[in-house]
Every structure is written in C-alpha cells, then in structure tokens.
Amino acid sequence: MLRWVRQQLGFDPPHQSDTRTIYIANRFPQHGHYVPQKFADNRIISSKYTVWNFVPKNLFEQFRRIANFYFLIIFLVQLMIDTPTSPITSGLPLFFVITVTAIKQGYEDWLRHKADNEVNGAPVYVVRSGGLVKTRSKNIRVGDIVRVAKDETFPVDLVLLSSDRVDGSCHVTTASLDGETNLKTHIAVPETAVLQSVANLDKLVAVIECQQPEADLYRFVGRITVSHQTEEIVRPLGPESLLLRGARLKNTKEIFGVAVYTGMETKMALNYKSKSQKRSAVEKSMNSFLIIYLIILLFEAILSTILKYAWQAEEKWDEPWYNEKTEHERNSSKILRFISDFLAFLVLYNFIIPISLYVTVEMQKFLGSFFIGWDLDLYHEETNQRAQVNTSDLNEELGQVEYVFTDKTGTLTENEMQFRECSINGIKYQEVNGKLTPEGFSEDSPDGNRHSLMKEEELFLKAVCLCHTVQINTDQTDGADGPWHANGIATPLEYYASSPDEKALVEAASRVGVVFTGTSGDTMEVKSLGKPERYKLLHVLEFDPNRRRMSVIVESPSGEKLLFTKGAESSILPRSKSGEIDKTRVHVDEFALKGLRTLCVAYRRFTPEEYQEIGKRLHEARTALQQREERLADVFNFIERDLELLGATGVEDKLQEKVQETIEALRLAGIKVWVLTGDKHETAVSVSLSCGHFHRTMNILELVQHKSDSTCAEQLRQLAKRIKEDHVIQHGLVVDGTSLSLALREHEKLFMEVCKNCSAVLCCRMAPLQKAKVVRLLKTSPEKPITLAIGDGANDVSMIQEAHVGIGIMGKEGRQAVRNSDYAIARFKFLSKLLFVHGHFYYIRIATLVQYFFYKNVCFITPQFLYQFFCLFSQQTLYDSVYLTLYNICFTSLPVLIYSLFEQHVHPHVLQSKPVLYRDISKNAHLGFKPFLYWTILGFFHAFVFFYGSYLLMGEDTSLLGNGQMFGNWTFGTLVFTVMVITVTMKMALETHFWTWINHFVTWGSIVFYFIFSLFYGGIIWPFLHTQDMYFVFVQLLSSGSAWFAIILIVVACLFLDVVKKVLYRHLQPTSTEKAQMEEDKGSVSSACDFAESRHRGEDSRQLLDPSSLPDSSYVH
C-alpha cells in the first residue's frame, strides 16, 4: 500500500531497471532469488475522475475559478462577522453553481467511462491451463499468450510466437497508428513458429527480455531465450516481431503472441498526450474581466470605508442621539473596526461579481452542444453517423480558429485508389467495361471491341503485374481450381499492397486480362488472358525517396533476364533511351493537371554477361559493412539505365466529397491549413495538389532529406531569402519528419518565420508525437493563435489532444481519434458548417452573454454604492435581501440564457456561403477591451440614470403615495430595482435578432414574473420570515400614478441613446456581418415565398434542403 501511495505521488517510479523480464505463460522459476516485477494492467483510461476522487478533484478545479473562490471567501466572511446581508445571499447561488457544474462534468466523464469500458470489456482469447479461455481485454496480464484472429485488432503489444503459416509470418495494417495503410510483414522466431497449436504452446518454456515501454512506434529491442530439451536457444527480437495494440491482423487466419506491454504502457497509449483541461479563450477573457471588476469592487469598498471615517470625524455624525454606541464599541480597536467596516462594504457590493455567470455559461455550453448532434447537415446518411460532442466547454472556440492541422489518409481522402488512365507506347488508354480502349475509340468502333492485347500493351501490363510489393489474400486460393472458373474468367482476387497505388494498378491489370495470381517462394505467377506464366524473381531494388523508383529483375519463362522499373517521371524519363519519351511526357503532364498520381513504367533486357556483372556488384554492395547505402545506390543507378520506356499510369486517390471547396472556404475565412501526414513525400504532395491545399500557381519550397543540422539551417536561410525576394507570389512549404526534428532543435524561430510566410504547409513522414510538437510550436508562438486538429486514426490522437480544439473523423481506422477528440464528425466537408455556422453562433452568443452579465451587475450594484452617500455610509442596503438573492437567479437569468441558445444574428446559409464573415469574429474581436469598456460604461451610465432619475422624480416629494404617506427607503429602493429589472430585460430584447416564441415568453414573462412575485412577497405576512421590511411596499408603490410615469420615463431615457447609437453605427460604419444582415432583411420576403413553396412540395426533412428556403436549416426550435 505504501509503495502504491509513493508511486502515485511520483516518489517511487514503477520501473527501476532499464529492461523487463517476461516469463511466457507466466511460468516463473521455482528456484533462486526471483523477485516478481510489477506491470500495469491492460485497462485503457481516458476518463478524468473516479468515484473516489470526483468530489475533491472537481471542487478543486471549480474553486480555481476566480469567481467561485471569491464567493467562497465572501460566504465565509458573512458567517464570521456581522454583515448587512444574510450569508444565504451568497451561499445559495454558490451552492447552485457548484452543483450544476459538477453534474454536467460528471455526466461528460461518465460518457468517457462508458467508452473505456467498451474497449476494456472486449472479448479476447488467452491460452491458460492447456486450453483457450475467453476473457475480457482488461484481464490480460504481461506474459499471457493471446490468440488474435483475422481482421481483429491487437488488444495489447504482443511478441509474435506463431501464425497459421509454416514460416510464422503474418500481415498487419497499422493504419490507425501511423496512418499507413500498407501491409507490414511480421515474423516469429523459428523455434516458436512451429508451435501452431494451443497444446504445443502450453508446453513452451521461454523468457523474453526487452526494454521498458517507450513511445517510439518503430523501435523495439529484446531477446527471447527458448529452453529446448537441455539447451537454451537465444534469438534477437526487433520491431518485426512486435505487434502493436491498435494495429489490425490482415491476410492471416490467426496468430498467437505473448503480451509484453499492457494498458497505458502500450506504445499506442504512450503516444497519447496526457489529458489536460482545455480552456477556451472566452473563459480566459472572463477571468481577466473578473479581475478588473474585483479591482472596481475593492476601490468602492475602500473609498466607502474612508468616507465613512471622514464623515464620522465630526462629533454629531460619529454618535448621533438616536444611535448611541455600546461600551464595547467605544473600547474596540480602531484598526479592527476599520477592517470590519471594509469587509462589510465588500459584502454589500460583492454582487458586482456575477456568480451566476458561470452557471449560465455552463448551461449554455451544455444545452447548446445538443444542436451540433441534431444538425441534419452534419448527418452522414451512408454510414448513419451524426456529429458527436465529447466536450461542450469549447463550443465558442470553434468560432476562433486560425490554424487547421489535418491528417491526410482517411481525413482528406477516402483512402481508395482508382485507376483512371494510362499511356502505352505514346497512345492514351482508358478502361471501358473491363477493356483497355485507346482514346478516341468507342466500344462500337471497329477497333474498339478487341479481345486480344497488342504486344506493347501486354508487356506494359506484365510490367505493372510484376514490379510491385502486392500480396494476395491466401484464403481465396484454397479451392481446388483456385480463383479460376473453367472459362478462364477470374473471380476477383483480394489484393493487399504496401501502397494503395500499386494495388489499384494490379487490380486494373487483372480486369483487362493480365492477372497477378501470387508468389510462391521466389516465383511470381501471372495469367495473361487465361494463360499461366511463371517468372522467377531474382532481385528487388527497393523504392527509396532519393531514387524515387523501384525495380525488379526477373527471369521470364523463356529464360530471358528482364528489369522492370516504375517510378516518378522525373526519375524514369531521363534514364530512358528509347520508347515514345516525348509523347509520354506530354501525357504525364496532362494526367497531373487532372490531379492524378502518375508513375512511369520502363524495362530493360540483360545479356547473360550483363546480368552476371550486375549479380556480382549487387552481392558486393549488399554484404558491405561500411557505406552499404551509398554502394547500393551506385549499383542501382548502374542497373537502372538505358531503359526502354513502356508508358505511364494515372491513378486517382479518391478525395472525400467537397474537400477542395472546404479547404478553399477555410482559406477565405482567414484560416491557414497545414497537412500533417505519415505518408511518403511524393504521395503527400500529390494529394495536396489534388485537394487544393497546394495550388498549381504556388511556388513549392522543400525542406526534405536533411541529415545534419548545418545543411538544414542553410536550407532554411535560403528559403527565407527566397520568400522575401518573391513576396508577390504564394508559397507552399513541404517538410519531412527528420528535417523537422533538426529545424525544431536549434532553428525554431527561423522555421516559424518561413512557415508563417507560406500560404500552405505540408509535413510528411511525421511520427504521432511530432504532429503534436508542431501544433504546440504554433500554439505557443508569440501571437498565440487558436489551433484546431482533425484526424481519424490513433496516430492523430496526440495532435488532437494538443490543439485547442480536437476533431475526430469517424473513419475506417478505429475509434481512438473519436474517443479522444472534443468533437467528432463523419466527413471533412462538415468542418465548414461546424466552424462557420455553429462556431460563429456560439461565439457571438457567449460573447454577448458574458458582457451582458457584467453590464447587468454593474447596473445592480452601483445604485447600492450611490445610496451610501445618502445614508452616512452606514452600510444600509438599498434592496431587500430576497431581491439581492433572486436578481441573478430568477429575474434576469432566463432571457440571456435563451438568447445564448437560440440567437442567429445572420442566417446559417449566409454564414456558410460567405466564409469571409468568419474574419469579423476572429482574434476574440467581440470580447476585446473596447467592447468590454463600452458595456461597463453603459452599465454605470444606466445605474446613474436609475438612481438619480428615481431620486429627482420621486425622492424629494413626500406626498406622492395615494394615502398621503411619505416615500420610505424601501419604497425608493424598490422603485430603483423595478426600473432596473425592466431596463436590463429590454436591453437584452434590443440585442436579439432572431425571435422565437420562447424568446418572447421568457422576455416578457420575466418582467411579469417580477411583478407577480413582488405582489405576493409583499402582500402576505410570511410566518417563516423573522423580519418583513417589504410588507405592502410594492402595492403602495404601484398605487401611485407618478411612480408609473417615473418607471416609463427612466426606462425610455436609458434605452433611447442605445437605439440611436445602434442606428447610426449600422448606417455609417457597418461591419461585414451588419451588411449581410441588411441584405438578408431585403431578401426575407422572397425567401418566405420560397419556404411556402417548398413546404407545399413536401420535401423530406432529411434531405439537404436549399437553406435559402428555410428560416433555419440547422436547428429545430
């Protein structure tokens, strides 16, 4: 227990040594001094609270808020000293605020617990006591042997022991971890690969020693010691043996592996950032305003205390005949009396700090967040998914975004490649109904309906079918005839590939008659129009980013040695000596302009002597211990020359719908878009161009392939210089992961300067934590911009958690991103509606709500301060304590809450079609110092009008009551309070643009409720109240005609100037938003007619209706 406490406090780290020893199947040694190591359990925790720490942790977080802490102090002061108002006046609102907030945060955390329990409770199979036992994911321990079947996700980090294949290999996709959709091959050590049954595995005696958990996905160092009869065999373990949690088993029936890292120690969990409390810019502004109001409050309290003692310096005012001091008061310390008076004034004026502001904001955020889920425009019909809100605290932050960081694979693209066109021997072809048709030919034309392939076409398709790293789903080839029917027509094979391009090309070739049917050992089998051909694979010249091509050397059935090469046109065309080079170059440019990903294909025949020379050189380079990479590059260059060009291919990476329009809209709204991807440089650039992130007219700058600090710095300086020289045109920047690490280490400022001057930035080959580093770098730059990260895989989680706002895409790559995001949407295109409509509305609503709250509290407490000048600073309260308590809770709370839920100052369709309106609210424009100053001065002005207006009209006249009685101080205070409630409610009505029946009900209902409540409160003697100062006061006040006249006159005087100011500003200095409002008003008549027509046609509400035909396309009121 003591050790656990020490660990929790951070004094005793759980891992003392650098390595961990794992006994497979938990067979611990029976002898010797074995000390069992403590490992984490396999639970994943994304929640913030537990049942035990919820109350203390939540209270601590809530009292970190200035207003809550301040009211707690005031409440304690009221309990300790004799103050003018009851402790209930501040205690009750405080209790209400704390309770409502705790319920909201508890509910949100319960949803996280529910999601965690779903993951932790997933069924898994573990080998125990000689059999397979079904258990829950959270019960897996380090050392357990786990069975995983095809298409299942690995529940822990496993070391592969065996698979259903003899060689112990399996194929895995890590798309949800690093965004790469290619299949990775993992291999078991030979000693365990043969143990393919549960019974054999149960007899295995082995020990694994490996490093302690670390976040790097691509690094694993360990060794396995297998006890085989009497000897012990030691084998090294590397990343190829480790199956990561979150990855998915593909193309393999089942595997067995031993758990080495569990729960929060898995590499996936270590790549999550710790969940910190995100706070919006509005909340930070609120805290600044609260500090200013605290200063105003302290100033008023100190001034009142000083004036009280200045006044009492005169004998007659210090102790008047009607208020003689007691003996105790005369002898008490002057300093203590001064402090006591200061605290009493503090309590009297404390309502200038609006405690109910926080609870209203919490309710507004919580209730407002439902609109996102209800919005049919954010509903994706194909997948039946609607938008999801995980954290409602950041709604208004959606209206403040300046940078969007997006993943590529599965976020911008559908992650589906489609073959579109190719060029063979200088002729362009398209695929029409499973046939290659030359451009200009139709199926009906004489040459269009051919059943055979020309020699060049067949050679080109064979090159495509042989030069790749594609694998075949072995489950399909188990039948007697394999994948072939008697007539030679293939049932479609399921291909897996290291790149989606290769998969698309091999699939296209199979559709037009040349089918790759698999590899066995070093033989590749191809069927050309049903005729099988076997090629012996002699060498693979792997792809690398410098060469930008890959090659294979094969031996054809006739014994010829052939080289097939494919790669970027810039690396193939200069090395070609024959073939239609010029025509192909033109075709490649045409494909690229259409946004297709292009590859050129070429070949070369070797004479026996040439091949012998090549084989010798390759062997020497591959076995070299020094400078192996450089030697291999030289040999590859020697081999890949004098090529004969066969043609080029054009493949489309299917972008998600409306990605281009969304990125363009974000740019118009003044938002910079950065694409952060784990993909290859060329792939990433190609997608950036096709999705409109990079324009063809942009000058694309590159910071890639840097190995040393000095070259990286030099390149950065050159880029900065180029940007300064060519400042007229737009620049796009491409950075890769290694160069980024170097740039961030020493040259952060220079790198940031280059980035900020570029319109678009693309970072490729990024590790998950590097993505988060880039986001943090911008977040903490001097301008402190608001950032948004959007992604769909577990590799995006750290970036999503780092950004101010994190958005998960409900894609094909698991649910990690969605679970750890603040908001989740089904498609990238929904981002524009989320920011431009929901974000805009939420920000406008909450900005008005915050400022209005401060305004109405200044109106509320300033007359109290002014009243002290008329009562010798005796701390006499102007309002009754019930009114003090209910002013913020009942009388003025609902109109502003309803405004903050339903207000739409501009039609949603206008906001979405004019992204430029988003700039009007950027950089916290509505909560800056100027608007804050305006609302504060307005509050003081209205308070002076309430107090002195009432005083001038009613205060001096003593016979205005119907029965000839004089006005008392309670009657005067009630008059001021009545004027105030009506004015602040009407002020809210003036701010409202979008009126619903609910707005009308709460606005006029609040005023009516105040009158009815006051009549009941003052008209009845309540037995539970020990004093009833207000008895019949309100009834008497309303019986006076002049009081009614005063109320109307003062309310009009307050609001008249406000209306004049609004009208003048709208016509003389309108903002873009106000211009849009005026245009909308002009078009409202025609849109009403359209609405009537569309209702008549009875259109389906689920359809994406033309928003101009609806009063509101987003919300159901």
Side-chain angles (χ1 to χ4, degrees), residues 1033-1051:
V1033 167
F1034 197 69
V1035 181
Q1036 283 187 325
L1037 177 70
L1038 296 190
S1039 67
S1040 164
S1042 47
W1044 282 101
F1045 173 72
I1047 291 168
I1048 293 164
L1049 192 66
I1050 295 168
V1051 170

Side-chain angles (χ1 to χ4, degrees), residues 14-15 20 39-40 157 213-214 261-267 269-270:
H15 309 305
R20 53 170 57 190
F39 301 121
D157 287 355
E214 64 166 20
Y261 304 131
T262 48
M264 299 310 282
E265 291 183 343
T266 57
K267 288 185 182 285
L270 292 173

Side-chain angles (χ1 to χ4, degrees), residues 370-383:
F370 286 109
F371 289 133
I372 291 177
W374 292 337
D375 189 346
L376 293 180
D377 289 349
L378 302 182
Y379 168 75
H380 193 241
E381 209 154 355
E382 289 99 274
T383 54

Side-chain angles (χ1 to χ4, degrees), residues 649-661:
T649 61
V651 173
E652 182 181 34
D653 181 3
K654 199 176 171 201
L655 282 174
Q656 283 189 21
E657 211 188 336
K658 293 191 176 170
V659 164
Q660 220 164 342
E661 293 91 325

Side-chain angles (χ1 to χ4, degrees), residues 676-696:
L676 311 180
T677 175
D679 249 347
K680 295 187 186 86
H681 173 203
E682 293 79 13
T683 314
V685 171
S686 175
V687 173
S688 267
L689 284 164
S690 61
C691 73
H693 177 237
F694 283 169
H695 287 308
R696 303 259 161 215

Side-chain angles (χ1 to χ4, degrees), residues 242-303:
L242 188 70
L243 305 169
L244 301 177
R245 179 176 189 142
R248 197 178 283 272
L249 183 66
K250 288 279 186 189
N251 210 2
T252 312
K253 276 186 186 169
E254 64 173 16
I255 64 101
F256 289 96
V258 60
V260 287
Y261 304 131
T262 48
M264 299 310 282
E265 291 183 343
T266 57
K267 288 185 182 285
M268 183 180 90
L270 292 173
N271 269 283
Y272 290 170
K273 281 187 74 289
S274 58
K275 207 164 180 66
S276 59
Q277 183 73 20
K278 290 184 181 180
R279 290 167 70 213
S280 70
V282 169
E283 194 172 322
K284 289 168 191 165
S285 298
M286 268 163 55
N287 285 344
S288 313
F289 298 161
L290 280 169
I291 290 167
I292 294 170
Y293 272 72
L294 269 172
I295 293 165
I296 294 172
L297 170 70
L298 290 170
F299 170 74
E300 287 185 352
I302 291 167
L303 182 67

